[in-house]
Amino acid sequence: MITKVVLGTVIVIAALRGDVLAAEQTAATLTPKVLEEIAQVEAEIDRIEGQTRERLATPPDNQVQQIELLGKLMLYDKQLSVNRNEACAFCHMPETGFTGPVSELNRTTGSYPGSVRTRYSERKPQTHAYAPLAPVLHYNPGQGDLVGGNFWDMRATGRRLGNPAAEQAQGPPTNPVEMGLPDIACAVYRASQQPYRALFEKVWGQQAFAIAWPSDVEQVCAQPGPPPASDPLPVHLSPTDRGRAGATFDQMAQAIANYEASAEVTPFTSKYDAVLAGKAQFTPQEQAGYDLFRGKAQCNACHRDGGPGEDPLFTDFTASNIGVPVNPRLPYYVESRPDALGYVANPGGQSFVDGGVGSFLTKGHPLSQPSAVDSQWIKLAPGNQARFQVPTLRNVDKRPYPTFVKAYGHNGYFTSLKAIVHFYNTRDVLPRCQPNDPGEGTTCWPAPESTDNINTQRVGRLGLSDADEDALVSFMQTLTDGFMPRDQR
């Protein structure tokens, strides 16, 4: 049982008193080391945003590039969060392959604080590089699997906009534990106040922000979500303006997805790509790792390196339960009482079990509205319980410096690539850990968070040596972009 969350974040829960329904605010005191790293990330976000804004003086003539520019500006725009302090990029920075950029958070909490800094989600940030290449979520009867979508639970299906990455971009702005706005109209209003408005109107039309905003829009949009059940759309707009705000929000999301699909984010410039192009050669250890990847280790069955008419994206866009243990460091487990605003992120407390794709199919997502579920898929929920989307391995080891810690697994339980490879190899060979076992992650493993639909076919007892594990890590390090320059031709 999870009893505390400490490493890196000190969580203080105020007790309920008498008839008071809301507890005092859950206080998460970030350590000086975390605060220092966060300040560095925020400074880099401001630098990139400032540099990108300069391009508005002479924007590209090409409309595709204009849309990409808009997408980048919005990804680095912290004004699109409720407290104007958190851009999308806070969880997705280039130096880490567009995933979590704070080493100490990766090492400790696994998940990241939102615009309301005392609120954390239940999962680690995914990379958004290569995510736009995911297909629209669909059921493949030959495979017997759902395939595609974005997010760990596939809830950004892409069925409405035809683009999973665009629907993914619509999740964080109104997620109470992420950017925290109470209404999608707030994101549109905030964007209308930004320097990129003129370019947005040039691309999408003058109607994009031709909205009669209510006089209290500033005050409403400064209140963290979720909105009260009695007023689910607290920015009170006419039906026409509400429709216009929805269409503009869709266009904002499409611009973000276009940027994520651009060569700046999804470049195919790794050493692996250079080897494919005949411009480089693997070292003996890298080649041994690739042979294991395609052979004994069975990695290529899910993290596919391509095929006829198929880019080497190192995922098959299906989902799997590999048996990841609970990550007791997640602050989400103690977000079970009302905070200062009366919001409870995790009513289940320490008993919460992440149901992944199965939970999305049956009850949506606890923190943000997903894409609509096709009713024909509901019967697939039992077979998808506790399964999470197979992540791409591209940039899996990209980091700004050698000692930077990255987190792996949907909940960030693993804090090194070697550790998760060792888990794949030995999950069903090593004994169960005892509480506080010093051998955890080396000579024993905790029980899985859930045994539903656990993958025993390709995970658990691979029979690899320590040298084999190291070779696999060496090969996966060749998937880091930046080995070759981008070629725009």
Side-chain angles (χ1 to χ4, degrees):
M1 182 177 179
I2 299 159
T3 57
K4 58 184 177 179
V5 180
V6 272
L7 298 174
T9 304
V10 178
I11 308 294
V12 180
I13 305 293
L16 292 171
R17 296 179 180 177
D19 294 329
V20 179
L21 297 178
E24 294 296 324
Q25 184 171 14
T26 300
T29 306
L30 299 171
T31 65
K33 187 171 183 180
V34 171
L35 290 172
E36 180 183 2
E37 281 195 71
I38 286 176
Q40 291 169 351
V41 169
E42 290 174 337
E44 180 64 4
I45 288 171
D46 290 344
R47 185 194 68 80
I48 293 173
E49 182 190 32
Q51 191 177 62
T52 308
R53 280 187 177 186
E54 291 175 1
R55 295 171 57 194
L56 288 171
T58 54
D61 295 330
N62 181 277
Q63 189 181 67
V64 170
Q65 293 173 16
Q66 291 171 356
I67 294 172
E68 290 174 358
L69 175 58
L70 285 169
K72 183 174 183 179
L73 285 164
M74 286 183 278
L75 268 175
Y76 288 90
D77 186 359
K78 61 189 179 187
Q79 300 297 316
L80 300 182
S81 64
V82 64
N83 290 323
R84 303 179 186 270
N85 61 342
E86 183 164 289
C88 296
F90 179 70
C91 294
H92 306 278
M93 288 293 280
E95 61 267 25
T96 52
F98 297 95
T99 185
V102 180
S103 178
E104 189 66 3
L105 288 176
N106 297 339
R107 186 184 72 83
T108 57
T109 61
S111 62
Y112 278 50
S115 182
V116 178
R117 292 301 197 207
T118 57
R119 298 178 180 179
Y120 292 72
S121 75
E122 84 285 28
R123 297 174 186 152
K124 80 166 232 41
Q126 286 178 289
T127 176
H128 62 220
Y130 300 92
L133 303 184
V136 170
L137 188 63
H138 61 281
Y139 180 70
N140 184 317
Q143 293 178 228
D145 253 332
L146 287 168
V147 182
N150 272 196
F151 282 124
W152 284 110
D153 58 9
M154 299 174 158
R155 72 183 184 275
T157 68
R159 293 286 290 271
R160 187 174 70 85
L161 295 179
N163 186 334
E167 292 184 25
Q168 185 280 328
Q170 295 187 324
T174 55
N175 186 329
V177 303
E178 294 190 57
M179 297 169 81
L181 292 169
D183 190 323
I184 65 168
C186 293
V188 177
Y189 173 73
R190 294 276 183 89
S192 75
Q193 309 299 302
Q194 293 297 85
Y196 51 76
R197 172 175 177 158
L199 180 60
F200 195 103
E201 290 173 329
K202 178 179 179 181
V203 170
W204 300 109
Q206 292 291 322
Q207 82 291 337
F209 300 113
I211 295 170
W213 299 107
S215 60
D216 64 350
V217 64
E218 284 281 1
Q219 292 80 5
V220 169
C221 292
Q223 295 299 311
S230 60
D231 192 14
L233 300 174
V235 178
H236 298 152
L237 300 173
S238 70
T240 298
D241 282 342
R242 174 56 62 176
R244 191 167 287 158
T248 302
F249 190 60
D250 286 347
Q251 290 158 351
M252 292 169 66
Q254 289 166 332
I256 289 171
N258 276 30
Y259 170 64
E260 292 171 350
S262 73
E264 190 171 316
V265 182
T266 302
F268 294 96
T269 58
S270 70
K271 182 176 182 179
Y272 175 83
D273 297 299
V275 171
L276 285 187
K279 298 177 180 179
Q281 289 185 327
F282 288 135
T283 66
Q285 187 185 44
E286 291 165 353
Q287 184 63 57
Y290 189 34
D291 293 342
L292 286 163
F293 187 93
R294 292 182 57 87
K296 186 176 181 180
Q298 304 184 71
C299 310
N300 198 55
C302 299
H303 297 281
R304 288 184 52 78
D305 64 351
E310 182 183 340
D311 281 329
L313 296 175
F314 291 91
T315 175
D316 63 356
F317 300 106
T318 65
S320 182
N321 176 12
I322 64 169
V324 175
V326 164
N327 181 2
R329 304 182 305 274
L330 287 174
Y332 187 70
Y333 286 110
V334 295
E335 294 181 69
S336 56
R337 291 179 175 174
D339 64 13
L341 299 169
Y343 176 65
V344 180
N346 177 22
Q350 296 172 4
S351 65
F352 170 79
V353 175
D354 197 334
V357 177
S359 289
F360 156 58
L361 294 176
T362 54
K363 55 186 178 184
H365 181 269
L367 303 174
S368 67
Q369 291 301 311
S371 307
V373 176
D374 189 327
S375 61
Q376 299 178 81
W377 295 345
I378 295 175
K379 63 181 179 291
L380 304 174
N384 280 282
Q385 193 65 22
R387 298 178 77 199
F388 297 89
Q389 189 172 61
V390 175
T392 178
L393 295 182
R394 282 188 170 271
N395 293 311
V396 69
D397 197 56
K398 186 169 186 179
R399 62 190 73 224
Y401 50 87
T403 58
F404 182 94
V405 175
K406 293 191 76 170
Y408 301 97
H410 70 276
N411 59 8
Y413 172 83
F414 305 98
T415 53
S416 77
L417 195 52
K418 170 73 171 181
I420 194 169
V421 169
H422 186 56
F423 176 78
Y424 268 81
N425 184 27
T426 64
R427 183 196 68 194
D428 300 338
V429 176
L430 298 178
R432 288 278 178 260
C433 294
Q434 299 302 311
N436 303 311
D437 197 313
E440 181 175 339
T442 304
T443 59
C444 67
W445 291 110
E449 179 178 10
S450 173
T451 57
D452 290 341
N453 303 302
I454 196 164
N455 186 335
T456 57
Q457 185 179 0
R458 297 190 173 94
V459 182
R461 48 179 74 246
L462 301 179
L464 305 176
S465 68
D466 186 62
D468 289 340
E469 292 180 0
D470 289 342
L472 280 167
V473 170
S474 182
F475 165 67
M476 286 188 277
Q477 289 170 335
T478 72
L479 302 178
T480 297
D481 283 320
F483 184 85
M484 297 188 294
R486 294 199 306 267
D487 186 350
Q488 298 291 331
R489 290 176 297 172

